[in-house]
PDB file of all heavy atoms in Angstrom:
ATOM      1  N   SER A 764      20.042  25.625 -28.000  1.00 87.00           N
ATOM      2  CA  SER A 764      20.959  24.547 -28.325  1.00 87.00           C
ATOM      3  C   SER A 764      22.357  24.843 -27.805  1.00 87.00           C
ATOM      4  O   SER A 764      22.800  25.975 -27.783  1.00 87.00           O
ATOM      5  CB  SER A 764      21.052  24.355 -29.846  1.00 87.00           C
ATOM      6  OG  SER A 764      19.860  23.817 -30.339  1.00 87.00           O
ATOM      7  N   ALA A 765      23.012  23.792 -27.350  1.00 88.00           N
ATOM      8  CA  ALA A 765      24.426  23.852 -26.944  1.00 88.00           C
ATOM      9  C   ALA A 765      24.675  24.531 -25.596  1.00 88.00           C
ATOM     10  O   ALA A 765      25.814  24.774 -25.208  1.00 88.00           O
ATOM     11  CB  ALA A 765      25.304  24.499 -28.014  1.00 88.00           C
ATOM     12  N   GLY A 767      24.017  23.049 -22.853  1.00 88.00           N
ATOM     13  CA  GLY A 767      24.485  21.962 -21.965  1.00 88.00           C
ATOM     14  C   GLY A 767      23.332  21.137 -21.382  1.00 88.00           C
ATOM     15  O   GLY A 767      23.570  20.440 -20.358  1.00 88.00           O
ATOM     16  N   LYS A 768      22.152  21.207 -21.938  1.00 85.00           N
ATOM     17  CA  LYS A 768      21.019  20.461 -21.339  1.00 85.00           C
ATOM     18  C   LYS A 768      21.307  18.974 -21.251  1.00 85.00           C
ATOM     19  O   LYS A 768      21.094  18.388 -20.172  1.00 85.00           O
ATOM     20  CB  LYS A 768      19.746  20.682 -22.219  1.00 85.00           C
ATOM     21  CG  LYS A 768      19.264  22.109 -22.282  1.00 85.00           C
ATOM     22  CD  LYS A 768      18.029  22.239 -23.123  1.00 85.00           C
ATOM     23  CE  LYS A 768      18.172  21.868 -24.588  1.00 85.00           C
ATOM     24  NZ  LYS A 768      19.151  22.719 -25.327  1.00 85.00           N
ATOM     25  N   SER A 769      21.750  18.389 -22.317  1.00 78.00           N
ATOM     26  CA  SER A 769      21.955  16.939 -22.320  1.00 78.00           C
ATOM     27  C   SER A 769      23.101  16.545 -21.375  1.00 78.00           C
ATOM     28  O   SER A 769      23.003  15.584 -20.615  1.00 78.00           O
ATOM     29  CB  SER A 769      22.238  16.428 -23.738  1.00 78.00           C
ATOM     30  OG  SER A 769      21.185  16.768 -24.579  1.00 78.00           O
ATOM     31  N   SER A 770      24.155  17.346 -21.383  1.00 80.00           N
ATOM     32  CA  SER A 770      25.310  17.091 -20.492  1.00 80.00           C
ATOM     33  C   SER A 770      24.864  17.188 -19.046  1.00 80.00           C
ATOM     34  O   SER A 770      25.216  16.363 -18.188  1.00 80.00           O
ATOM     35  CB  SER A 770      26.403  18.134 -20.709  1.00 80.00           C
ATOM     36  OG  SER A 770      26.735  18.203 -22.056  1.00 80.00           O
ATOM     37  N   TYR A 772      21.870  16.803 -17.507  1.00 73.00           N
ATOM     38  CA  TYR A 772      21.094  15.764 -16.859  1.00 73.00           C
ATOM     39  C   TYR A 772      21.813  14.451 -16.844  1.00 73.00           C
ATOM     40  O   TYR A 772      21.619  13.646 -15.935  1.00 73.00           O
ATOM     41  CB  TYR A 772      19.665  15.718 -17.402  1.00 73.00           C
ATOM     42  CG  TYR A 772      19.374  14.714 -18.475  1.00 73.00           C
ATOM     43  CD1 TYR A 772      18.519  13.635 -18.205  1.00 73.00           C
ATOM     44  CD2 TYR A 772      19.887  14.863 -19.723  1.00 73.00           C
ATOM     45  CE1 TYR A 772      18.181  12.750 -19.208  1.00 73.00           C
ATOM     46  CE2 TYR A 772      19.591  13.985 -20.720  1.00 73.00           C
ATOM     47  CZ  TYR A 772      18.739  12.928 -20.465  1.00 73.00           C
ATOM     48  OH  TYR A 772      18.431  12.063 -21.444  1.00 73.00           O
ATOM     49  N   TYR A 805      17.482   4.376 -21.790  1.00 39.00           N
ATOM     50  CA  TYR A 805      17.342   5.616 -22.499  1.00 39.00           C
ATOM     51  C   TYR A 805      16.413   5.361 -23.708  1.00 39.00           C
ATOM     52  O   TYR A 805      16.584   4.381 -24.409  1.00 39.00           O
ATOM     53  CB  TYR A 805      18.725   6.039 -23.001  1.00 39.00           C
ATOM     54  CG  TYR A 805      18.840   7.414 -23.556  1.00 39.00           C
ATOM     55  CD1 TYR A 805      18.856   8.500 -22.735  1.00 39.00           C
ATOM     56  CD2 TYR A 805      19.016   7.602 -24.899  1.00 39.00           C
ATOM     57  CE1 TYR A 805      19.020   9.785 -23.239  1.00 39.00           C
ATOM     58  CE2 TYR A 805      19.153   8.862 -25.446  1.00 39.00           C
ATOM     59  CZ  TYR A 805      19.157   9.981 -24.599  1.00 39.00           C
ATOM     60  OH  TYR A 805      19.290  11.206 -25.122  1.00 39.00           O
ATOM     61  N   ASP A 833      14.492  15.124 -22.323  1.00 77.00           N
ATOM     62  CA  ASP A 833      15.502  15.935 -23.018  1.00 77.00           C
ATOM     63  C   ASP A 833      15.140  15.932 -24.481  1.00 77.00           C
ATOM     64  O   ASP A 833      14.650  14.952 -24.993  1.00 77.00           O
ATOM     65  CB  ASP A 833      16.878  15.278 -22.801  1.00 77.00           C
ATOM     66  CG  ASP A 833      17.992  16.098 -23.416  1.00 77.00           C
ATOM     67  OD1 ASP A 833      17.848  17.309 -23.573  1.00 77.00           O
ATOM     68  OD2 ASP A 833      19.049  15.503 -23.732  1.00 77.00           O
ATOM     69  N   THR A 834      15.367  17.037 -25.172  1.00 69.00           N
ATOM     70  CA  THR A 834      15.108  17.031 -26.595  1.00 69.00           C
ATOM     71  C   THR A 834      16.327  16.520 -27.338  1.00 69.00           C
ATOM     72  O   THR A 834      17.433  16.550 -26.844  1.00 69.00           O
ATOM     73  CB  THR A 834      14.818  18.463 -27.162  1.00 69.00           C
ATOM     74  OG1 THR A 834      15.952  19.255 -26.874  1.00 69.00           O
ATOM     75  CG2 THR A 834      13.587  19.055 -26.522  1.00 69.00           C
ATOM     76  N   ALA A 835      16.093  16.039 -28.516  1.00 59.00           N
ATOM     77  CA  ALA A 835      17.216  15.638 -29.367  1.00 59.00           C
ATOM     78  C   ALA A 835      17.388  16.705 -30.437  1.00 59.00           C
ATOM     79  O   ALA A 835      17.313  16.482 -31.606  1.00 59.00           O
ATOM     80  CB  ALA A 835      16.945  14.271 -30.004  1.00 59.00           C
ATOM     81  N   GLY A 836      17.581  17.965 -29.997  1.00 62.00           N
ATOM     82  CA  GLY A 836      17.734  19.048 -30.917  1.00 62.00           C
ATOM     83  C   GLY A 836      16.431  19.711 -31.309  1.00 62.00           C
ATOM     84  O   GLY A 836      16.416  20.700 -32.009  1.00 62.00           O
ATOM     85  N   GLU A 838      14.618  21.560 -29.733  1.00 62.00           N
ATOM     86  CA  GLU A 838      14.426  22.915 -29.197  1.00 62.00           C
ATOM     87  C   GLU A 838      14.411  23.937 -30.322  1.00 62.00           C
ATOM     88  O   GLU A 838      13.898  25.049 -30.186  1.00 62.00           O
ATOM     89  CB  GLU A 838      15.514  23.235 -28.170  1.00 62.00           C
ATOM     90  CG  GLU A 838      16.967  23.199 -28.675  1.00 62.00           C
ATOM     91  CD  GLU A 838      17.636  21.852 -28.431  1.00 62.00           C
ATOM     92  OE1 GLU A 838      16.942  20.809 -28.524  1.00 62.00           O
ATOM     93  OE2 GLU A 838      18.838  21.857 -28.191  1.00 62.00           O
TER      94      GLU A 838
HETATM   95 MG1   MG B1699      20.932  18.138 -26.198  1.00 51.44          MG
END
Side-chain angles (χ1 to χ4, degrees):
S764 289
K768 297 181 298 297
S769 302
S770 307
Y772 96 112
Y805 190 75
D833 184 25
T834 59
E838 60 267 35

